[in-house]
Coordinates of all heavy atoms in Angstrom, one line a residue:
M765 N 0.8 -1.3 0.0 CA -0.1 0.0 0.0 C 0.9 1.2 0.0 O 0.5 2.2 -0.6 CB -1.0 0.0 1.2 CG -2.1 -1.1 1.1 SD -3.4 -0.9 2.2 CE -2.6 -1.7 3.6
G766 N 1.9 1.3 0.7 CA 2.8 2.3 0.7 C 2.7 3.4 1.8 O 3.5 4.2 2.0
Q767 N 1.6 3.5 2.5 CA 1.4 4.5 3.6 C 1.0 3.8 4.9 O 0.2 4.2 5.6 CB 0.4 5.4 3.1 CG 0.7 6.2 1.8 CD 1.9 7.1 1.9 OE1 2.1 7.8 3.0 NE2 2.8 7.2 1.0
E768 N 1.7 2.8 5.3 CA 1.4 2.1 6.5 C 2.3 2.6 7.7 O 3.3 3.4 7.5 CB 1.8 0.6 6.5 CG 1.0 -0.1 5.3 CD 1.6 0.1 4.0 OE1 2.8 0.5 3.9 OE2 0.9 -0.2 2.9
Y769 N 1.9 2.4 8.9 CA 2.7 2.6 10.1 C 2.9 1.3 10.7 O 2.2 0.4 10.6 CB 1.9 3.6 11.1 CG 0.6 3.1 11.5 CD1 0.3 2.3 12.6 CD2 -0.6 3.6 10.7 CE1 -0.9 1.9 13.0 CE2 -1.8 3.2 11.2 CZ -2.0 2.3 12.2 OH -3.3 1.9 12.5
V770 N 4.1 1.2 11.5 CA 4.5 0.1 12.1 C 5.0 0.3 13.5 O 5.2 1.5 13.9 CB 5.8 -0.7 11.4 CG1 5.3 -1.1 9.9 CG2 6.9 0.2 11.3
G771 N 4.9 -0.7 14.3 CA 5.4 -0.3 15.7 C 5.2 -1.7 16.5 O 4.8 -2.7 16.1
V772 N 5.6 -1.5 17.9 CA 5.5 -2.6 18.8 C 4.6 -2.2 19.8 O 4.6 -1.1 20.4 CB 6.9 -2.9 19.5 CG1 6.8 -4.0 20.5 CG2 7.9 -3.3 18.4
V773 N 3.5 -3.0 20.1 CA 2.5 -2.7 21.1 C 3.1 -2.5 22.5 O 3.9 -3.5 23.0 CB 1.4 -3.8 21.1 CG1 0.4 -3.5 22.2 CG2 0.8 -3.9 19.8
E774 N 2.9 -1.5 23.2 CA 3.4 -1.2 24.5 C 2.5 -1.7 25.6 O 2.9 -2.2 26.6 CB 3.8 0.2 24.6 CG 5.0 0.6 23.8 CD 5.4 2.0 24.1 OE1 4.9 2.7 25.0 OE2 6.3 2.5 23.4
E775 N 1.1 -1.3 25.4 CA 0.1 -1.7 26.3 C -1.2 -1.8 25.6 O -1.4 -1.2 24.6 CB 0.0 -0.8 27.5 CG -0.3 0.6 27.1 CD -0.2 1.6 28.4 OE1 0.8 2.1 28.7 OE2 -1.3 1.9 29.0
I776 N -2.1 -2.6 26.2 CA -3.5 -2.8 25.6 C -4.5 -2.6 26.7 O -4.2 -2.5 28.0 CB -3.6 -4.2 25.2 CG1 -3.4 -5.2 26.2 CG2 -2.6 -4.4 23.9 CD1 -3.7 -6.6 25.9
G777 N -5.7 -2.3 26.2 CA -6.9 -2.1 27.2 C -7.4 -3.4 27.6 O -7.1 -4.5 27.0
S778 N -8.3 -3.4 28.5 CA -8.9 -4.6 29.1 C -9.8 -5.5 28.1 O -9.9 -6.6 28.2 CB -9.7 -4.3 30.4 OG -10.8 -3.5 30.0
A779 N -10.3 -4.7 27.1 CA -11.2 -5.3 26.2 C -10.5 -6.0 25.0 O -11.0 -6.6 24.1 CB -12.2 -4.3 25.7
V780 N -9.1 -5.6 24.8 CA -8.3 -6.2 23.7 C -7.9 -7.6 24.0 O -7.4 -8.0 25.0 CB -7.0 -5.3 23.5 CG1 -6.2 -5.9 22.4 CG2 -7.5 -3.9 23.3
T781 N -8.2 -8.5 22.9 CA -7.9 -9.8 23.1 C -7.1 -10.5 22.0 O -6.6 -11.5 22.2 CB -9.3 -10.6 23.1 OG1 -10.0 -10.4 21.9 CG2 -10.2 -10.3 24.2
S782 N -6.9 -9.8 20.9 CA -6.2 -10.3 19.8 C -4.8 -9.7 19.6 O -4.1 -10.1 18.6 CB -7.0 -10.2 18.5 OG -7.2 -8.8 18.2
I783 N -4.4 -8.8 20.4 CA -3.2 -8.1 20.3 C -2.4 -8.3 21.7 O -3.2 -8.0 22.7 CB -3.3 -6.7 19.8 CG1 -3.8 -6.7 18.4 CG2 -1.8 -6.1 19.8 CD1 -4.0 -5.3 17.9
R784 N -1.2 -8.5 21.7 CA -0.5 -8.6 23.0 C 0.6 -7.5 23.1 O 1.1 -7.1 22.0 CB 0.2 -10.0 23.1 CG -0.7 -11.2 23.1 CD 0.0 -12.5 23.1 NE 1.2 -12.5 22.2 CZ 1.2 -12.8 20.9 NH1 0.1 -13.1 20.3 NH2 2.4 -12.8 20.2
P785 N 1.0 -7.1 24.2 CA 2.1 -6.3 24.4 C 3.4 -7.0 23.9 O 3.4 -8.1 23.9 CB 2.2 -6.1 25.9 CG 0.9 -6.3 26.5 CD 0.3 -7.4 25.7
E786 N 4.2 -6.2 23.3 CA 5.5 -6.5 22.7 C 5.3 -7.2 21.3 O 6.2 -7.6 20.6 CB 6.3 -7.4 23.5 CG 6.7 -6.7 24.8 CD 7.6 -7.6 25.7 OE1 8.1 -8.6 25.2 OE2 7.7 -7.2 26.8
Q787 N 4.0 -7.2 20.7 CA 3.7 -7.8 19.4 C 4.0 -6.7 18.3 O 3.6 -5.5 18.6 CB 2.3 -8.1 19.3 CG 1.9 -9.0 18.1 CD 0.5 -9.5 18.1 OE1 -0.2 -9.1 19.1 NE2 0.2 -10.3 17.1
F788 N 4.6 -7.1 17.3 CA 4.9 -6.2 16.2 C 3.5 -6.1 15.4 O 2.9 -7.0 15.0 CB 5.9 -6.7 15.3 CG 6.4 -5.9 14.1 CD1 7.0 -4.7 14.2 CD2 5.9 -6.2 12.8 CE1 7.4 -3.9 13.2 CE2 6.1 -5.3 11.8 CZ 7.0 -4.3 11.9
V789 N 3.2 -4.8 15.0 CA 2.0 -4.5 14.2 C 2.2 -3.7 13.0 O 3.2 -2.9 13.1 CB 0.9 -3.9 15.1 CG1 0.4 -4.9 16.2 CG2 1.4 -2.7 15.8
V790 N 1.4 -3.8 12.0 CA 1.5 -2.9 10.9 C 0.0 -2.4 10.6 O -0.9 -3.2 10.7 CB 1.9 -3.7 9.6 CG1 1.9 -2.8 8.4 CG2 3.3 -4.3 9.8
G791 N -0.1 -1.2 10.5 CA -1.5 -0.6 10.3 C -1.5 0.2 9.1 O -0.5 0.7 8.6
S792 N -2.8 0.5 8.6 CA -3.0 1.3 7.4 C -3.7 2.6 7.9 O -4.4 2.6 8.8 CB -3.9 0.5 6.4 OG -4.3 1.4 5.4
F793 N -3.6 3.7 7.1 CA -4.3 4.9 7.4 C -5.7 4.8 6.9 O -6.6 5.7 7.0 CB -3.6 6.1 6.8 CG -2.3 6.4 7.6 CD1 -1.1 6.0 6.9 CD2 -2.4 6.9 8.8 CE1 0.1 6.3 7.6 CE2 -1.2 7.1 9.6 CZ 0.1 6.9 8.9
F794 N -6.1 3.6 6.3 CA -7.4 3.4 5.8 C -8.0 2.2 6.5 O -7.3 1.2 6.8 CB -7.5 3.1 4.3 CG -7.3 4.2 3.4 CD1 -5.9 4.6 2.9 CD2 -8.3 5.1 3.0 CE1 -5.8 5.7 2.1 CE2 -8.1 6.2 2.3 CZ -6.9 6.5 1.7
A795 N -9.3 2.4 6.9 CA -10.0 1.2 7.5 C -10.8 0.5 6.4 O -11.3 1.2 5.4 CB -10.9 1.7 8.6
F796 N -10.9 -0.8 6.5 CA -11.6 -1.5 5.4 C -12.5 -2.5 6.2 O -12.2 -2.9 7.3 CB -10.7 -2.2 4.5 CG -9.5 -2.9 5.1 CD1 -9.7 -4.3 5.3 CD2 -8.4 -2.3 5.5 CE1 -8.7 -5.0 5.9 CE2 -7.4 -3.0 6.1 CZ -7.6 -4.3 6.3
D797 N -13.5 -3.1 5.5 CA -14.3 -4.0 6.1 C -14.2 -5.5 5.6 O -15.0 -6.3 6.2 CB -15.9 -3.5 6.1 CG -16.3 -3.4 4.5 OD1 -15.6 -3.9 3.7 OD2 -17.5 -2.9 4.3
N798 N -13.4 -5.8 4.7 CA -13.2 -7.1 4.1 C -14.5 -7.6 3.6 O -14.6 -8.9 3.5 CB -12.6 -8.0 5.2 CG -11.1 -8.0 5.1 OD1 -10.5 -7.6 4.0 ND2 -10.3 -8.4 6.1
T799 N -15.5 -6.9 3.2 CA -16.7 -7.5 2.6 C -16.6 -7.7 1.2 O -17.5 -8.4 0.6 CB -17.9 -6.6 2.9 OG1 -17.7 -5.4 2.4 CG2 -18.2 -6.6 4.4
Y800 N -15.7 -7.0 0.5 CA -15.6 -7.1 -1.0 C -14.4 -8.0 -1.4 O -13.3 -8.0 -0.7 CB -15.4 -5.8 -1.7 CG -16.7 -5.0 -1.6 CD1 -16.9 -4.3 -0.5 CD2 -17.6 -5.1 -2.6 CE1 -18.1 -3.4 -0.4 CE2 -18.8 -4.3 -2.4 CZ -19.0 -3.5 -1.4 OH -20.2 -2.9 -1.3
E801 N -14.4 -8.7 -2.5 CA -13.5 -9.6 -2.9 C -12.0 -8.9 -3.0 O -11.0 -9.5 -2.7 CB -13.8 -10.2 -4.3 CG -12.8 -11.2 -4.7 CD -13.2 -11.9 -6.1 OE1 -14.5 -11.8 -6.4 OE2 -12.4 -12.4 -6.8
I802 N -12.0 -7.7 -3.4 CA -10.7 -7.0 -3.7 C -10.1 -6.8 -2.3 O -8.9 -6.9 -2.1 CB -10.9 -5.7 -4.4 CG1 -9.5 -5.2 -4.9 CG2 -11.6 -4.7 -3.5 CD1 -9.6 -4.1 -5.9
C803 N -10.8 -6.5 -1.2 CA -10.2 -6.5 0.1 C -9.7 -7.7 0.6 O -8.5 -7.8 1.1 CB -11.3 -6.0 1.1 SG -12.0 -4.4 0.8
R804 N -10.4 -8.8 0.4 CA -10.0 -10.1 1.0 C -8.7 -10.7 0.0 O -8.1 -11.5 0.6 CB -11.2 -11.1 0.7 CG -12.3 -10.8 1.7 CD -13.3 -11.9 1.8 NE -13.9 -12.1 0.6 CZ -15.1 -11.6 0.1 NH1 -15.7 -10.6 0.8 NH2 -15.6 -11.9 -1.1
A805 N -8.6 -10.2 -1.2 CA -7.5 -10.5 -1.9 C -6.2 -9.8 -1.6 O -5.0 -10.0 -2.1 CB -7.8 -10.3 -3.5
G806 N -6.3 -8.8 -0.7 CA -5.1 -8.2 -0.2 C -4.9 -6.6 -0.6 O -3.9 -6.1 -0.4
Y807 N -5.9 -6.2 -1.3 CA -5.8 -4.9 -1.8 C -6.9 -4.0 -1.0 O -7.8 -3.4 -1.6 CB -6.3 -4.9 -3.2 CG -5.3 -5.7 -4.2 CD1 -5.8 -7.0 -4.6 CD2 -4.1 -5.3 -4.6 CE1 -5.0 -7.8 -5.4 CE2 -3.2 -6.1 -5.3 CZ -3.7 -7.4 -5.7 OH -2.8 -8.2 -6.5
Q808 N -6.6 -3.9 0.3 CA -7.4 -3.1 1.2 C -7.5 -1.6 0.9 O -8.4 -1.0 1.1 CB -7.0 -3.3 2.6 CG -7.3 -4.7 3.0 CD -6.2 -5.6 2.8 OE1 -5.1 -5.3 2.3 NE2 -6.4 -6.9 3.2
S809 N -6.3 -1.0 0.2 CA -6.5 0.2 -0.1 C -7.4 0.5 -1.3 O -7.7 1.7 -1.6 CB -5.1 0.9 -0.4 OG -4.6 0.2 -1.6
S810 N -7.9 -0.4 -2.0 CA -8.8 -0.3 -3.1 C -10.3 -0.7 -2.7 O -11.2 -0.7 -3.4 CB -8.3 -1.2 -4.3 OG -7.2 -0.7 -4.7
C811 N -10.5 -1.0 -1.3 CA -11.8 -1.3 -0.8 C -12.8 -0.3 -1.1 O -12.6 0.8 -1.0 CB -11.7 -1.6 0.7 SG -13.2 -2.2 1.4
V812 N -14.0 -0.8 -1.6 CA -15.1 0.1 -1.9 C -15.5 0.9 -0.7 O -15.9 2.1 -0.8 CB -16.2 -0.7 -2.5 CG1 -17.5 0.1 -2.7 CG2 -15.9 -1.3 -3.8
N813 N -15.4 0.2 0.5 CA -16.0 0.9 1.8 C -14.8 1.5 2.6 O -14.8 1.5 3.9 CB -16.7 -0.2 2.6 CG -18.0 -0.4 2.0 OD1 -18.6 0.6 1.3 ND2 -18.6 -1.6 2.2
R814 N -13.6 1.8 2.0 CA -12.6 2.2 2.8 C -12.8 3.5 3.4 O -13.6 4.3 2.9 CB -11.2 2.2 2.1 CG -11.1 3.3 1.0 CD -9.8 3.2 0.2 NE -9.7 4.3 -0.7 CZ -10.2 4.2 -2.0 NH1 -10.7 3.1 -2.5 NH2 -10.1 5.2 -2.8
Q815 N -12.3 3.8 4.7 CA -12.5 5.1 5.5 C -11.3 5.6 5.9 O -10.6 5.0 6.7 CB -13.4 4.7 6.7 CG -14.9 4.3 6.3 CD -15.7 5.3 5.5 OE1 -15.6 6.5 5.9 NE2 -16.4 4.8 4.5
P816 N -10.7 6.8 5.4 CA -9.5 7.3 5.8 C -9.6 7.7 7.3 O -10.5 8.3 7.7 CB -9.2 8.5 4.8 CG -10.5 8.7 4.1 CD -11.4 7.5 4.3
G817 N -8.5 7.4 8.0 CA -8.5 7.9 9.4 C -9.2 7.1 10.4 O -9.1 7.4 11.5
A818 N -9.9 6.1 9.9 CA -10.8 5.3 10.8 C -10.0 4.2 11.4 O -8.8 3.9 11.0 CB -12.0 4.8 10.1
A819 N -10.5 3.6 12.5 CA -9.8 2.4 13.2 C -9.8 1.3 12.1 O -10.7 1.1 11.3 CB -10.6 2.0 14.3
T820 N -8.7 0.6 12.2 CA -8.5 -0.6 11.3 C -9.1 -1.7 11.9 O -8.9 -2.1 13.0 CB -7.0 -0.7 11.0 OG1 -6.5 0.5 10.4 CG2 -6.8 -1.9 10.1
R821 N -9.8 -2.5 11.1 CA -10.4 -3.8 11.6 C -9.6 -4.9 11.1 O -9.3 -5.0 9.9 CB -11.9 -3.9 11.0 CG -12.5 -5.1 11.5 CD -14.0 -5.2 11.1 NE -14.8 -4.1 11.7 CZ -15.3 -4.0 12.9 NH1 -15.0 -5.0 13.8 NH2 -15.9 -3.0 13.3
L822 N -9.1 -5.7 12.0 CA -8.2 -6.8 11.8 C -9.2 -8.0 11.2 O -10.4 -8.1 11.4 CB -7.6 -7.3 13.0 CG -6.7 -6.3 13.7 CD1 -6.1 -6.9 15.0 CD2 -5.6 -5.9 12.7
S823 N -8.6 -9.0 10.6 CA -9.3 -10.1 10.1 C -10.0 -10.8 11.2 O -11.0 -11.6 11.0 CB -8.4 -11.2 9.3 OG -7.4 -11.5 10.2
S824 N -9.5 -10.8 12.5 CA -10.2 -11.4 13.5 C -11.4 -10.7 14.0 O -12.1 -11.1 14.8 CB -9.1 -11.4 14.7 OG -8.8 -10.0 15.1
G825 N -11.6 -9.5 13.5 CA -12.8 -8.7 13.8 C -12.4 -7.6 14.9 O -13.3 -6.7 15.2
S826 N -11.3 -7.6 15.5 CA -10.8 -6.6 16.4 C -10.5 -5.2 15.6 O -10.1 -5.3 14.4 CB -9.6 -6.9 17.1 OG -9.9 -8.1 17.9
R827 N -10.7 -4.1 16.4 CA -10.3 -2.8 15.8 C -9.0 -2.4 16.4 O -8.9 -2.4 17.7 CB -11.4 -1.9 15.9 CG -12.7 -2.2 15.2 CD -13.8 -1.5 15.5 NE -13.6 0.0 15.4 CZ -14.2 0.8 14.6 NH1 -15.0 0.3 13.6 NH2 -13.9 2.0 14.5
I828 N -8.2 -1.7 15.8 CA -7.0 -1.0 16.3 C -7.1 0.4 16.0 O -7.7 0.8 15.0 CB -5.7 -1.8 16.0 CG1 -5.4 -1.8 14.4 CG2 -5.7 -3.1 16.5 CD1 -4.2 -2.2 14.0

């Protein structure tokens, strides 16, 4: 995609279940919903329902 951010998780909230402290993560500045074939094929930046600046939804259903 070309405009991702990366980092290591330092702490999480009590409702977070799919990410752990010290885990390496990559995020996008676009949120996508994985409902369209193009998203599921790995082209999330081309998702019909992408939302700039919104929380990113992981394939597990969690939001970051």
